[in-house]
Amino acid sequence: MDTPQRGQQHAGTALSRVEDSPVFSYISSLSPIKPVKSVHITHALPLNFSSPPSVFASPHVNTQKERKIPIRYPVLDSSAPDFSSEDGDDKSLSYVMPNLLKLSECAIDEKANCRTKCLLNEANVDPPEECQKLTSHLSRSLEYDCGSPNHNTAPCYGSQNKVDLKRVRVSLVDFACDVQEAVESSANDIEGEDIRCQVHSKEEVSSCDWENLITDGSVNLFVFDPSTESEACEERCQKVRGQDANYSTSYSLRISEDSIGDPQRSHPAGALATCLKSTALDVSGDYGQQVFSQNNSEHTPQVPPTCQQNNQEISDQFEKMDDEVGDHDLFDYETDYQHQRGFRRRCLVFEVAGSHVVGDSKDSSSASFSISFKHISGDKQQTSSKPSSGPRQHALPSIGLHLNSLATSSKVRIATEDNLPSGRKLLSLPCSTGAISSLVTLQKTSRGSSVAEEDLCPGNDPQELTEMRNYLQSPAISGEELDLNSPKKKKCKLENGGEHGSCRRCNCKKSKCLKLYCECFAAGVYCVGPCACEGCLNKPIHEDIVLATRKQIESRNPLAFAPKVIRASAPATGIGEDINKTPASARHKRGCNCKKSGCLKKYCECYQGGVGCSASCRCEGCKNTFGRREGVLPMVSEENEPKEEQHVDPCGDDGVEFPHEADCLHDNDSPVTPSFQISRPPLRPPFSFSEKPPRSSVASIGSSPLLSACHKLQKSGLAKSKLEKHLQTAPEDETPKILREMPSPLNAVKTASPSRKRVSPPQHEIGSSPSQKGGRRLILRSIPSFPALTGVSSNDPPETAL
DNA sequence: GAGTTTGAAACT
DNA sequence: CAGTTTCAAACTC
């Protein structure tokens, strides 16, 4: 197995920007928890529990490998009544506490004896391995037993799990705290190690969200250095299990060993997960151990049948995982798929350096990575967080994102979006093809539901909806991509149930789905069951590889995962000129290079994306119905282009809402540019889409001129960060109105257009409205660098197409 | 479904 | 940066 970039991956998992994370905020805000101390931690080892599990799946996870972060270590008062769950699961605590204490003691003892010191030191040397194991296993264990909808096989499953998990959680919390103390006591032995213990005692596990709780809860519970924790954990496991055959311990060790070289297992969570499992088992009266050993079918008095079932399932999952080791290629994803898609696919991880945004978090149903926790402290249940929804989300510069299945359903979102604290809906359309496709789906599935449409386009005015509708009618969109009735689509429908939106699937044979050749990979989604790829590594189990690969690709081209089609189409709300803008007013970011297809086939990315060719295109004989790039605008002076281009507010279409690039994305749900997340509120899902609605039906798009600007900067050698800064700081109003009106596509476009010449916008030819034409011209002038915008015309694909 | 065409991505 | 190769989707039969 190639694990070339393991190092990177580790770095990627590094805990970063903890203070920025919603979880951190949340924890900090918990009144019941006393911040006992503040510790500066340098975490060389990235076990990041503070970030959503999705992080693991995200190719881009963090950029900051090491950071000193003041961390609060809340002390969990185990005896505190608050800790009990609202539904009276307190008993579980009493049940668990003794074990927990025991475990904690063990851990401490171990630490005190400096038995872990060596391990810790080693961890410093090569932390990633352990850390990753821990992380991955933890997350996995959690995932597996936590129940995504798919997981719930028994009615009471959830509730039972809740209890068990809570126990685990508690134990972990204590454990983490204890370890932390131990570590501190032996600080000398643990150089550079930090343990973070964040405990939120007030969290409540809702019966429905326990999954999230764990996943996310784990995040909340503690952030600790894997190097320390993993070791300690294992030790603890051993000790606890003591003479009992050490099954768990051996298992964990085995996993750890196996994990080496196994990307899937390379998460720090692995060991922890194992430990967690062990803990859970212990807590449950060793029932788990028996279960875990598979052979056991006996019930212990303490363990309710449901619990058994749960444990059994966990056990099975672990076994399955174990089996996977060393046989990735053979791994039958399908089998796992049922379990994983519940969470993996739903997690669109946006990687925002340091802060992780769960793109699909809004999908409450999926819950997988959304942070949803309740706490009683304020007598309020706080559903927080959905990373993308909270103001606390910080977007960091990182374009990457891995979104699986945004598609997952717009429907779901529709139902859940209103749950966002912000009150704003996450899904904003008309922009991304994916969104559109979702819309189509909605339309087809729930006819006449204008409501649905509105939900999809929250905050968007009717015009946007209209645009969307029009756009949907465009050949590329409605005719092909979105035609669910076509044989292909039917197949998709059947395979995916039509609701998850993952209609597309790749068929990669050689790329292992780790190159941009792969649509899935390029779109930032994992390959899923329907994919017919061979030797696919673009799966959650190989997330570290995926992540590393993405990083590598991004290092080459930071915008590689940005949407290819940049849409600027905000409705012309504020400015009268953009009346004719349609969702199609977008351009391919780089432009196509078609020679033979005449840009009339899907070979052409522009056409495929439903956009017209632009000046950026180098196509020959362009006949793109969405807009050709033929003309050159005479009036545009090339000299001026470069300068003004940067000043242009990409988003400017309306100038109303999109000061920043990020905002420009509003309609697109498009990829996250660095600035994107930063500047804009988490309301919008941070995923990036590809213009096609890749399998996930998520389509892409949108981007902003800034994006293009970024691209240019990139080429020009400017630091990405610089660019990001620029984007962030760029005031929306700086740009003249007129400039703002300009569709981003133009700007956005390519850096490499052969002709940065004046290109007459197709629109002219196509017959866009006069006003539009005028607007375009102005735009072109002001933005010389991106001369062409044929797109202008192309902006109206629907019109032209229709 | 196999083979061909096409153009993007990757490589040199 | 240009040319070439590789790749997988799109297309054709």
Side-chain angles (χ1 to χ4, degrees), chain A residues 383-699:
Chain A
T383 297
S384 71
S385 84
K386 301 191 153 208
S388 58
S389 63
R392 31 204 183 299
Q393 286 287 331
H394 296 275
L396 297 182
S398 171
I399 293 169
L401 44 120
H402 216 60
L403 37 120
N404 263 24
S405 78
L406 284 183
T408 22
S409 59
S410 30
K411 287 183 179 179
V412 172
R413 287 182 191 168
I414 290 170
T416 62
E417 286 173 351
D418 39 4
N419 293 335
L420 294 177
S422 63
R424 193 172 159 179
K425 307 203 171 171
L426 293 175
L427 183 61
S428 82
L429 291 180
C431 344
S432 66
T433 306
I436 291 169
S437 98
S438 296
L439 176 60
V440 171
T441 300
L442 288 174
Q443 289 176 330
K444 295 197 175 188
T445 58
S446 61
R447 290 259 172 205
S449 110
S450 60
V451 173
E453 289 181 355
E454 290 178 359
D455 287 341
L456 288 173
C457 301
N460 291 336
D461 53 44
Q463 183 173 355
E464 285 181 293
L465 291 174
T466 300
E467 290 178 355
M468 289 174 61
R469 294 189 188 96
N470 291 337
Y471 185 62
L472 291 174
Q473 295 175 1
S474 67
I477 301 300
S478 63
E480 298 178 9
E481 291 292 333
L482 300 179
D483 183 1
L484 297 177
N485 291 326
S486 68
K488 237 181 182 178
K489 299 302 176 183
K490 283 182 179 177
K491 185 178 181 181
C492 292
K493 259 181 159 182
L494 293 174
E495 291 175 350
N496 298 302
E499 292 180 355
H500 292 81
S502 318
C503 284
R504 281 179 166 273
R505 58 183 182 177
C506 67
N507 192 32
C508 306
K509 304 296 181 188
K510 298 178 180 180
S511 67
K512 296 181 180 180
C513 299
L514 290 179
K515 293 188 176 181
L516 293 175
Y517 295 127
C518 176
E519 289 189 7
C520 298
F521 181 78
V525 300
Y526 288 117
C527 291
V528 294
C531 292
C533 44
E534 297 176 0
C536 179
L537 295 178
N538 185 32
K539 293 182 177 181
I541 60 174
H542 300 299
E543 59 190 340
D544 55 347
I545 293 175
V546 173
L547 187 151
T549 302
R550 284 178 63 91
K551 282 186 177 180
Q552 184 178 5
I553 292 171
E554 284 188 332
S555 68
R556 278 199 309 255
N557 176 14
L559 297 179
F561 294 96
K564 291 179 180 176
V565 175
I566 298 168
R567 275 180 197 290
S569 69
T573 57
I575 301 166
E577 295 185 24
D578 293 337
I579 299 167
N580 291 329
K581 286 183 181 178
T582 64
S585 62
R587 288 291 177 278
H588 191 275
K589 121 187 127 178
R590 284 180 307 110
C592 67
N593 192 32
C594 306
K595 304 296 181 189
K596 299 178 180 179
S597 68
C599 299
L600 287 176
K601 294 186 178 180
K602 291 179 76 177
Y603 294 125
C604 175
E605 290 192 354
C606 295
Y607 179 86
Q608 190 174 50
V611 301
C613 291
S614 66
S616 302
C617 298
R618 287 132 293 174
C619 49
E620 297 176 0
C622 179
K623 295 177 182 177
N624 191 332
T625 57
F626 294 102
R628 301 179 225 170
R629 78 175 248 260
E630 324 186 70
V632 174
L633 291 180
M635 67 267 297
V636 176
S637 64
E638 293 179 358
E639 311 95 74
N640 296 335
E641 293 180 356
K643 295 175 182 178
E644 295 184 3
E645 153 184 318
Q646 292 178 352
H647 296 291
V648 174
D649 182 348
C651 300
D653 286 354
D654 316 340
V656 175
E657 285 185 1
F658 324 113
H660 302 292
E661 173 181 3
D663 290 341
C664 293
L665 298 176
H666 76 300
D667 7 41
N668 317 328
D669 277 344
S670 64
V672 181
T673 61
S675 64
F676 173 75
Q677 294 179 349
I678 294 170
S679 61
R680 78 182 296 157
L683 295 176
R684 180 181 296 278
F687 354 87
S688 66
F689 301 86
S690 64
E691 66 272 28
K692 299 177 176 183
R695 43 206 79 246
S696 47
S697 69
V698 175

Side-chain angles (χ1 to χ4, degrees), chain A residues 282-474:
Chain A
D282 289 341
V283 171
S284 62
D286 290 336
Y287 169 78
Q289 182 176 359
Q290 294 174 356
V291 171
F292 187 48
S293 65
Q294 286 183 342
N295 297 329
N296 183 324
S297 61
E298 293 181 357
H299 298 232
T300 58
Q302 299 98 326
V303 180
T306 56
C307 182
Q308 275 189 349
Q309 185 177 1
N310 183 26
N311 287 336
Q312 180 66 55
E313 185 155 359
I314 294 170
S315 174
D316 292 343
Q317 292 296 337
F318 273 85
E319 286 187 48
K320 185 179 294 181
M321 286 162 38
D322 189 36
D323 292 341
E324 294 171 3
V325 174
D327 189 8
H328 300 293
D329 292 341
L330 297 178
F331 175 70
D332 181 1
Y333 185 79
E334 288 296 328
T335 304
D336 217 28
Y337 177 70
Q338 292 300 321
H339 298 288
Q340 293 192 22
R341 75 176 178 183
F343 44 91
R344 293 284 188 180
R345 290 276 300 178
R346 290 177 181 173
C347 271
L348 298 185
V349 176
F350 269 97
E351 235 170 354
V352 188
S355 88
H356 303 283
V357 176
V358 176
D360 205 3
S361 61
K362 328 128 200 127
D363 181 341
S364 62
S365 68
S366 68
S368 12
F369 295 118
S370 62
I371 297 169
S372 170
F373 40 78
K374 299 174 181 179
H375 65 90
I376 300 172
S377 69
D379 288 345
K380 293 179 181 179
Q381 286 182 343
Q382 179 175 352
T383 297
S384 71
S385 84
K386 301 191 153 208
S388 58
S389 63
R392 31 204 183 299
Q393 286 287 331
H394 296 275
L396 297 182
S398 171
I399 293 169
L401 44 120
H402 216 60
L403 37 120
N404 263 24
S405 78
L406 284 183
T408 22
S409 59
S410 30
K411 287 183 179 179
V412 172
R413 287 182 191 168
I414 290 170
T416 62
E417 286 173 351
D418 39 4
N419 293 335
L420 294 177
S422 63
R424 193 172 159 179
K425 307 203 171 171
L426 293 175
L427 183 61
S428 82
L429 291 180
C431 344
S432 66
T433 306
I436 291 169
S437 98
S438 296
L439 176 60
V440 171
T441 300
L442 288 174
Q443 289 176 330
K444 295 197 175 188
T445 58
S446 61
R447 290 259 172 205
S449 110
S450 60
V451 173
E453 289 181 355
E454 290 178 359
D455 287 341
L456 288 173
C457 301
N460 291 336
D461 53 44
Q463 183 173 355
E464 285 181 293
L465 291 174
T466 300
E467 290 178 355
M468 289 174 61
R469 294 189 188 96
N470 291 337
Y471 185 62
L472 291 174
Q473 295 175 1
S474 67

Side-chain angles (χ1 to χ4, degrees), chain A residues 111-181:
Chain A
K111 294 289 184 179
N113 293 332
C114 298
R115 293 178 62 179
T116 60
K117 122 183 117 175
C118 295
L119 294 175
L120 291 172
N121 289 337
E122 289 179 1
N124 284 334
V125 174
D126 184 10
E129 297 286 333
E130 291 299 321
C131 294
Q132 290 182 356
K133 291 177 201 169
L134 278 174
T135 317
S136 105
H137 283 288
L138 174 56
S139 93
R140 193 175 292 174
S141 67
L142 293 176
E143 292 170 351
Y144 282 112
D145 77 313
C146 305
S148 58
N150 294 335
H151 266 288
N152 292 330
T153 57
C156 30
Y157 196 50
S159 64
Q160 186 61 44
N161 284 339
K162 179 173 71 177
V163 174
D164 292 342
L165 291 173
K166 182 182 296 180
R167 291 173 184 172
V168 171
R169 186 163 133 246
V170 172
S171 66
L172 289 173
V173 171
D174 286 350
F175 174 68
C177 293
D178 291 342
V179 172
Q180 184 242 322
E181 291 178 358

